[in-house]
Amino acid sequence: MAYENIIFEVAEGIATITFNRPKALNALNGDLLDEMADALDKIEEDEDIRVLVLTGSGDKSFVAGADITELATFNPLQAKLFARKGLQTIGRLQNLFIPVIAAVNGFALGGGSEMALASDFIYASENASFGLPEIKLGIIPGFGGTQRLPRLIGASMAKEMIYTGKLITAAEAEKIGMVNRVLAPDALMDETMKTAREIAAKGKVSLRAAKQAINSGLNVDINTGCQIETDSFAICMASVDGKEGTRAFIEKRKADFKGTLKD
Ligand code: DAK
């Protein structure tokens, strides 16, 4: 599939999807979601890809939400199809085997904030802003924002943001634990890639196990969560990477993780 609404690149085991509709501040339309689904298929099929980075083209916007111009044209069936596409794509991001980092370089509004929230963590440039402004359009978030935001920053903070639709700055987002780091705009991608490379050097099986244990554990009681962790730990110990990591420590050398899920 040829991409017109995203740029998909892979280098050093790191895939990057750049939302690329700068004239509409990278708003999410149906075609973009189709292209993203195709790129996620490629990522899932490629054993060598260890980390996914999401960002927006230009310096003004990550994603300014769902494409309101397109939304306004939908009949109920089209609205349902769009909602299904978006939910599937965002669900796939959250459950992708590899870690996903959102490098937010400007507006992350509505579906854009929701896309970032489905990533494993967020780095933001100083000029980034976040918000779920759907209430101003007479609707509510539909790509999981009412669920993921309260889990991340607490119900009170999330309710204030969702009920008012107000935007918050990157600094405020960092203060409430929505973003991990705030960086100068020209340092955002360098620092994101630095972290992506650091993660990419780890074992793919253990990264997957850690992501699965954390994500699944957040939705269950702590005893069940610890059981999930135990099962995931056992899988790591049986893996090539688990054996290599412990052997490398004993032999006082750097571990050479193969990153394969096949063994
Ligand atoms: N959609 C389409 N075009 C957009 C857009 C958007 N979300 N945001 C910006 N643009 C376009 C503008 O129309 C403008 O186009 P031209 O007029 O140049 O043709 C261009 O991008 C530049 O925008 P502005 O001229 O407005 O730039 P400013 O710097 O003045 O303002 C802004 C930037 C981001 C504050 C402003 O553009 C803005 O408020 N944009 C809308 C943000 C917003 O409300 N986002 C939330 C969208 S609703 C669902 C699932 C999900 C959703 C719904 C349902 N289900 C599962 C059912 C999601 C809903 C949303 O995300």
Side-chain angles (χ1 to χ4, degrees):
M1 176 186 232
Y3 299 144
E4 289 173 9
N5 300 281
I6 62 168
I7 300 166
F8 178 59
E9 295 160 304
V10 181
E12 297 177 71
I14 300 165
T16 306
I17 295 178
T18 305
F19 303 108
N20 189 33
R21 302 185 65 225
K23 284 189 184 141
L25 301 185
N26 305 323
L28 305 172
N29 63 8
D31 289 345
L32 184 150
L33 292 175
D34 286 337
E35 291 175 19
M36 195 162 166
D38 189 79
L40 292 177
D41 288 343
K42 291 197 171 87
I43 290 167
E44 282 172 346
E45 284 158 12
D46 189 338
E47 272 276 314
D48 295 332
I49 298 177
R50 314 265 190 111
V51 180
L52 168 62
V53 171
L54 301 178
T55 194
S57 68
D59 52 11
K60 194 171 168 184
S61 185
F62 174 71
V63 170
D67 188 315
I68 302 170
T69 318
E70 190 181 69
L71 275 188
T73 66
F74 285 155
N75 63 32
L77 182 62
Q78 289 168 320
K80 210 168 168 177
L81 286 174
F82 176 79
R84 198 165 66 180
K85 257 188 223 179
L87 280 170
Q88 273 172 356
T89 305
I90 286 180
R92 282 180 75 188
L93 268 188
Q94 172 155 334
N95 297 318
L96 207 65
F97 289 165
I98 57 170
V100 182
I101 309 174
V104 173
N105 56 317
F107 294 114
L109 308 183
S113 267
E114 291 172 301
M115 194 72 89
L117 287 168
S119 306
D120 289 291
F121 56 86
I122 304 171
Y123 281 5
S125 71
E126 285 160 351
N127 70 329
S129 56
F130 296 82
L132 292 168
E134 285 87 345
I135 208 88
K136 295 181 187 167
L137 300 169
I139 55 176
I140 65 167
F143 288 151
T146 62
Q147 303 306 304
R148 291 193 181 94
L149 190 61
R151 281 170 167 79
L152 188 62
I153 66 171
S156 310
M157 282 290 188
K159 283 175 178 170
E160 188 178 342
M161 281 179 71
I162 291 168
Y163 296 169
T164 62
K166 73 174 180 185
L167 307 195
I168 60 169
T169 61
E172 287 168 316
E174 186 183 33
K175 205 164 120 198
I176 61 175
M178 193 172 169
V179 314
N180 284 12
R181 287 180 74 188
V182 179
L183 297 147
D186 59 5
L188 176 68
M189 284 317 285
D190 284 350
E191 288 298 315
T192 302
M193 287 302 173
K194 210 159 123 187
T195 300
R197 278 194 293 273
E198 195 181 331
I199 294 172
K202 306 295 186 290
K204 198 162 182 174
V205 175
S206 50
L207 285 173
R208 179 184 171 187
K211 177 167 177 167
Q212 204 170 3
I214 295 166
N215 282 0
S216 306
L218 283 172
N219 296 317
V220 296
D221 66 273
I222 190 153
N223 290 330
T224 311
C226 287
Q227 192 54 53
I228 294 170
E229 185 187 75
T230 302
D231 292 344
S232 302
F233 179 80
I235 290 169
C236 292
M237 287 310 293
S239 73
V240 170
D241 284 348
K243 292 189 195 342
E244 165 61 11
T246 45
R247 201 182 307 118
F249 176 81
I250 293 163
E251 292 170 4
K252 299 190 186 303
R253 60 177 174 80
K254 196 168 178 284
D256 177 19
F257 292 120
K258 297 291 178 219
T260 180
L261 295 177
K262 287 189 179 135
D263 293 300

